[in-house]
Amino acid sequence: MVLANFEIGIIGAGDMGMLYARRFKQAGYVVNICDTPDRFTELEAKHGHLGLNILRDGYAVSRRSDFIIYSVPAVNIGRIVEEYGRATKVGAIVAGQTSVKTPEILAFEKHLPDDVHIVTCHSMHGPNIDTKGQPLAIIRHRSDDRHYAMAVEALGALESRVIYLTYEEHDRITADTQAATHLSFISLGTAWSLQGYYPWLNPQFISGINNVKVAMALRIYASKWHVYAGLAIMNPLAKKQLQCYVESMTTLYKLMVAGKRQEFRDLVHEAADFVFGRERSRKKILLDDDILDQLSLSQVPKEQGRANSHLSLLSAAVCWYRMGMSPYDNLICQTPPFRMWLGIVEYLFCHEGMLEEAIETALGDRYTQAEDLVFYTAVTGWGQCIELGSFEGYRERFEKTAEFLSHKLGEGKDLSTMIIKKLTDRDEAS
């Protein structure tokens, strides 16, 4: 049902803002949208045919809209709400679409009038995925029952799978599901860039789970840097898991190069038992061979493949073990990268032969140890950048790697989108 005489305003006409604008317009709502004032003419020329009310700035959107959604980078949310919040229509509902809710809520509380209702949200996926069936967090922070129901009804136009959270719960879950996941994928890209080779030409990256690593890394680097920087740097809960992931990898790598075989094995198997259980070979897993076989960008014949230590995946399991955390507890708010990340970690640990091969490769293959040194360096470099809170450093590292991988980003994004859709369709059918 479309709410009568109810206009939706979107401040920020980036990829997610436009995804929301199209969905609300298709549902029958009047949609008011703006970006920075200097982009007004550009937006009219580019999107004027969509039937949206393209306005000059956030003042114009805020004055006439009944439900206002700030779809802006997390790093800018405080400044933008301070600028436009004072113009919010009396009795309106305000939401944000940032991936970190603590600074967003603080900005709303500080800069919005007291008569404004705060019911915020977060579509936990990127702009290249249809909202239908994907997780949508709805957060009631300051609202009466009537306006809260109106916000939920309007967001129903997205046809997403709704999860109701507090903003604190949201930030804890996103830290648990996204922080180390993104660090792993972006570090893989940086390691390839540092060595000057493309993974689809490397015999270590031709098997199913390695193809997932490649496709998802390319997907992330095809996106905007600030999406990942905001979560990593601005979510205080994310840093704890990032630090644990780096420390877990450091422990494993030192055991590898020191030749401490039994200590390495014991740690990996303790993590395996904790996260996946002792009977893990019988476990029903998230990814199957049918899906993995469709994920390939490799130009190397399969018979020329080379074993991989999967240090990134071993480190993930050790990190979860050390934090006393089950990744399955957070599947309710899974993002596509986390679903794929957990899927490939699980696949490795639930196939004993593959896990044994990874352990032996880590401990005995000097070529792999040299490759893993570069990956380890990339991980610690990203970890230091995040720890220092350097948005500019994050941007420079991200964009440099994206440029190196640029000619495959589109193909990787398309491939990962296809597999995410297959997983979503399978879940809906089951």
Side-chain angles (χ1 to χ4, degrees):
M1 180 185 74
V2 175
L3 297 169
N5 302 313
F6 190 84
E7 298 190 12
I8 296 177
I10 299 173
I11 297 175
D15 294 338
M16 284 302 294
M18 288 307 303
L19 175 65
Y20 266 41
R22 290 188 178 95
R23 289 294 306 213
F24 288 129
K25 181 62 181 177
Q26 289 168 6
Y29 284 102
V30 173
V31 178
N32 310 309
I33 190 167
C34 74
D35 207 89
T36 53
D38 60 292
R39 291 195 64 213
F40 174 65
T41 302
E42 175 193 341
L43 290 180
E44 280 195 320
K46 188 175 181 180
H47 301 302
H49 65 287
L50 297 177
L52 308 173
N53 291 331
I54 299 174
L55 305 178
R56 188 167 295 277
D57 56 33
Y59 294 115
V61 170
S62 296
R63 288 182 63 190
R64 65 175 290 176
S65 303
D66 301 287
F67 185 18
I68 301 154
I69 301 172
Y70 284 82
S71 185
V72 301
V75 66
N76 296 330
I77 187 69
R79 175 178 59 81
I80 295 173
V81 176
E82 181 179 13
E83 177 73 18
Y84 299 129
R86 71 192 79 170
T88 306
K89 183 178 178 180
V90 174
I93 307 162
V94 173
Q97 236 289 71
T98 67
S99 58
V100 188
K101 291 304 175 189
T102 299
E104 178 184 289
I105 291 295
L106 291 175
F108 288 163
E109 288 180 338
K110 184 175 181 179
H111 300 299
L112 293 177
D114 292 339
D115 56 27
V116 169
H117 303 267
I118 302 172
V119 182
T120 194
C121 62
H122 180 204
S123 287
M124 304 183 79
H125 57 86
N128 299 303
I129 299 176
D130 187 7
T131 58
K132 185 176 181 180
Q134 295 298 325
L136 169 68
I138 296 181
I139 298 164
R140 180 180 184 174
H141 182 67
R142 188 180 80 194
S143 177
D144 61 28
D145 291 345
R146 176 170 168 268
H147 286 85
Y148 175 60
M150 292 167 68
V152 172
E153 183 66 37
L155 289 168
L158 301 175
E159 300 183 273
S160 297
R161 178 171 53 83
V162 175
I163 309 110
Y164 300 98
L165 302 170
T166 65
Y167 77 90
E168 297 97 339
E169 290 170 336
H170 171 276
D171 283 359
R172 177 186 59 78
I173 291 172
T174 54
D176 289 347
T177 58
Q178 298 181 40
T181 303
H182 296 161
L183 177 64
S184 302
F185 285 131
I186 62 176
S187 297
L188 284 166
T190 297
W192 302 327
S193 175
L194 288 171
Q195 296 177 93
Y197 73 68
Y198 300 110
W200 47 89
L201 300 177
N202 187 309
Q204 282 197 314
F205 289 93
I206 65 172
S207 70
I209 61 174
N210 281 308
N211 287 322
V212 175
K213 295 178 192 176
V214 175
M216 294 308 294
L218 291 175
R219 181 181 189 83
I220 287 175
Y221 278 108
S223 302
K224 303 289 179 58
W225 69 273
H226 62 74
V227 174
Y228 304 100
L231 169 70
I233 295 174
M234 297 184 72
N235 187 339
L237 300 175
K239 292 187 177 181
K240 180 181 177 182
Q241 187 176 120
L242 291 171
Q243 182 179 7
C244 184
Y245 183 78
V246 172
E247 290 174 352
S248 298
M249 180 170 293
T250 299
T251 300
L252 287 172
Y253 190 74
K254 289 175 72 174
L255 292 174
M256 284 166 56
V257 297
K260 297 184 177 180
R261 300 178 65 88
Q262 195 58 49
E263 289 180 51
F264 185 95
R265 283 183 169 278
D266 289 346
L267 180 56
V268 170
H269 283 290
E270 285 168 13
D273 290 345
F274 174 81
V275 178
F276 302 108
R278 293 182 179 275
E279 300 296 323
R280 54 187 173 274
S281 62
R282 303 177 185 177
K283 185 179 179 66
K284 182 181 179 181
I285 59 178
L286 298 172
L287 296 177
D288 54 38
D289 293 322
D290 178 58
I291 290 175
L292 288 172
D293 287 344
Q294 298 178 49
L295 272 171
S296 181
L297 294 172
S298 178
Q299 299 173 24
V300 180
K302 196 169 185 178
E303 59 272 13
Q304 295 180 20
R306 184 166 188 158
N308 192 312
S309 70
H310 299 295
L311 178 61
S312 61
L313 310 186
L314 299 180
S315 300
V318 172
C319 175
W320 294 329
Y321 167 53
R322 285 181 163 180
M323 293 189 71
M325 180 187 112
S326 171
Y328 297 99
D329 292 344
N330 296 316
L331 282 177
I332 188 173
C333 288
Q334 62 183 288
T335 61
F338 178 71
R339 172 70 177 270
M340 300 298 277
W341 183 244
L342 175 56
I344 59 178
V345 177
E346 180 190 65
Y347 191 94
L348 172 65
F349 276 85
C350 293
H351 289 79
E352 290 296 334
M354 183 178 292
L355 179 61
E356 178 61 25
E357 180 184 72
I359 292 172
E360 279 301 312
T361 302
L363 293 170
D365 189 323
R366 302 292 288 178
Y367 172 84
T368 297
Q369 290 176 357
E371 291 283 301
D372 284 341
L373 173 60
V374 182
F375 175 62
Y376 170 69
T377 302
V379 170
T380 55
W382 275 108
Q384 290 171 344
C385 176
I386 293 165
E387 185 66 29
L388 291 171
S390 175
F391 281 97
E392 190 55 38
Y394 195 106
R395 179 175 185 168
E396 288 180 8
R397 292 173 67 91
F398 190 97
E399 290 182 345
K400 184 176 181 180
T401 301
E403 182 180 1
F404 176 76
L405 299 169
S406 60
H407 62 293
K408 278 285 188 177
L409 295 181
E411 188 176 347
K413 182 173 69 174
D414 292 344
L415 185 61
S416 57
T417 297
M418 177 195 74
I419 206 69
I420 290 165
K421 186 178 186 305
K422 285 184 175 292
L423 288 172
T424 302
D425 293 344
R426 188 183 70 177
D427 289 347
E428 290 178 350
S430 62

